[in-house]
Amino acid sequence: DGGITQSPKYLFRKEGQNVTLSCEQNLNHDAMYWYRQDPGQGLRLIYYSQIVNDFQKGDIAEGYSVSREKKESFPLTVTSAQKNPTAFYLCASKRPGIGRDTQYFGPGTRLTVL
Amino acid sequence: EDQVTQSPEALRLQEGESSSLNCSYTVSGLRGLFWYRQDPGKGPEFLFTLYSAGEEKEKERLKATLTKKESFLHITAPKPEDSATYLCAVQAGDSNYQLIWGAGTKLIIKP
């Protein structure tokens, strides 16, 4: 079955640590996205990538970094510069083509700072 | 400023009691409006995409409609398994592929 996988499901970080969240898709989608979800708020875009080796900052990129070395993979690193990283992180992808604007989501990673 | 507002924040219904969720938007040129369902601790599940005013789409007990200012998600004779948070997102014409998200409506269906 095609889909988007995220790992781990739960992640705990100590103060000052960098952690990396994994996102893999086998849908042959070109575009991939990282969102942060906090209670009572809409999803906020962290980074997105339209093609391999290219990515752009979203609305809340500070304290985060990404890479896109393969079409299937779009890992997100939460650095120690992110002061309030506790949240639910969602990865999404989108098919290429005009009119194909729907984003499909992975199951999410819940990050907690200890 | 582009904005998406969902109402109500939460809605409690008895099983079989039909109702509607609202998603109002102000964007510069609508490219598409998206409805998702999200269960606790899980990623959003895609439901519908609407592209132009007057468009309607249905899936089981759900029906989504679109006007120039808002979208409604009508739920007919809901069942407890319809309980979830329903998210609305809008893509503006000049958005460079970014979506603007509402905060969601938490729907609880009591048996």
Side-chain angles (χ1 to χ4, degrees), chain A residues 37-42 86-88 110, chain B residues 103:
Chain A
Q37 187 174 36
D38 294 282
Q41 298 187 37
T86 295
F88 191 48
R110 184 164 299 280

Side-chain angles (χ1 to χ4, degrees), chain A residues 25-70:
Chain A
Q25 55 96 1
N26 60 3
L27 300 168
N28 200 33
H29 288 179
D30 286 320
M32 297 185 74
Y33 306 81
W34 273 107
Y35 291 94
R36 171 180 172 140
Q37 187 174 36
D38 294 282
Q41 298 187 37
L43 275 65
R44 291 184 289 169
L45 183 64
I46 304 172
Y47 269 97
Y48 66 102
S49 169
Q50 304 286 10
I51 56 172
V52 175
N53 293 322
D54 188 46
F55 49 82
Q56 287 78 40
K57 293 181 179 180
D59 299 321
I60 56 165
E62 184 175 352
Y64 300 97
S65 66
V66 294
S67 63
R68 187 81 187 278
E69 297 177 359
K70 299 187 299 182

Side-chain angles (χ1 to χ4, degrees), chain B residues 73-91:
Chain B
L73 185 66
H74 307 277
I75 182 162
T76 302
K79 298 181 178 181
E81 53 261 42
D82 295 320
S83 297
T85 296
Y86 290 84
L87 303 175
C88 171
V90 166
Q91 185 172 6

Side-chain angles (χ1 to χ4, degrees), chain B residues 86-102:
Chain B
Y86 290 84
L87 303 175
C88 171
V90 166
Q91 185 172 6
D94 59 352
S95 68
N96 195 23
Y97 305 105
Q98 294 189 38
L99 297 181
I100 305 159
W101 291 83

Side-chain angles (χ1 to χ4, degrees), chain A residues 97-99 101, chain B residues 27 29-34 50-51 90-93 95 97:
Chain A
I98 296 173
D101 298 316
Chain B
V27 295
L30 179 70
R31 183 184 172 105
L33 185 142
F34 307 83
L50 302 168
Y51 288 106
V90 166
Q91 185 172 6
S95 68
Y97 305 105

